Amino acid sequence: ITSPELILYIAVPPSGEPLSADGAWVKSGAKPTISISLIPGSGNGALASKQKLKNITVNLPSEQTSMWTIVPNVEANVPCWDLIATATNKHILSPSEPLQITLGNIMSDNTVVPGETWLTVMASNVPGYNDRTFFQSIDKIAPTPSILGFSADQTHIVAGQKVRLSW
């Protein structure tokens, strides 16, 4: 069984130049950071309880893990995950190679209040850009019951033979 995932792609505009890490931020220590958060709580607009949000995983493809460090801040009032550029990351963002962020195990325990919630993405200390906050709406929907697997304890069944079915 796979858990629900949300994949974000972050890149500079197609006409833009790759953002390079060779600049002043390496010397100043103000590392480019992308922060991701979801709304905790049980009311309107909330995705899930803080406890449920703590179970969310944030991952990068293996080829990007050496360029960004993921720092979970799940004990904060609003749980968030910071992706911080490493000093060896020579191209922070590129039009042809977007940063791919996968949020996994996204499960809402806020089924009483359906509707939308919001994903917040904050970018700070990105060379050549002002700090910015982006919001993306996410529809909360009730899970649909379905059979995820089906098996029998026999590979060949003769009419009248007992068989155990599992699903």
Side-chain angles (χ1 to χ4, degrees):
I1 299 174
T2 58
S3 67
E5 290 183 337
L6 174 67
I7 300 176
L8 303 172
Y9 294 96
I10 300 176
V12 295
S15 60
E17 294 293 319
L19 297 178
S20 176
D22 298 338
W25 76 268
V26 175
K27 296 174 189 161
S28 72
K31 296 181 178 180
T33 302
I34 296 172
S35 299
I36 300 168
S37 62
L38 294 153
I39 301 172
S42 59
N44 193 20
L47 174 66
S49 64
K50 277 181 65 174
Q51 189 61 39
K52 197 67 139 177
L53 291 180
K54 289 179 186 181
N55 295 328
I56 292 177
T57 59
V58 176
N59 294 296
L60 301 171
S62 59
E63 64 272 12
Q64 293 181 333
T65 57
S66 64
M67 300 184 307
W68 296 86
T69 300
I70 301 171
V71 179
N73 295 308
V74 294
E75 296 299 332
N77 285 338
V78 176
C80 66
W81 297 263
D82 293 333
L83 285 82
I84 303 169
T86 63
T88 57
N89 185 353
K90 297 303 178 198
H91 295 288
I92 300 165
L93 294 173
S94 165
S96 62
E97 297 177 30
L99 176 62
Q100 180 181 321
I101 306 166
T102 302
L103 282 76
N105 201 30
I106 301 173
M107 306 290 276
S108 179
D109 56 1
N110 188 359
T111 56
V112 176
V113 186
E116 69 181 1
T117 187
W118 293 90
L119 170 79
T120 303
V121 179
M122 294 181 285
S124 58
N125 302 318
V126 177
Y129 289 85
N130 293 325
D131 292 354
R132 220 125 163 228
T133 303
F134 302 90
F135 301 95
Q136 177 62 52
S137 67
I138 300 172
D139 289 327
K140 296 184 294 181
I141 56 173
T144 305
S146 60
I147 297 174
L148 300 175
F150 186 82
S151 64
D153 67 351
Q154 304 286 331
T155 55
H156 299 289
I157 304 167
V158 178
Q161 181 182 356
K162 290 186 178 183
V163 64
R164 179 178 298 229
L165 303 176
S166 300
W167 61 90

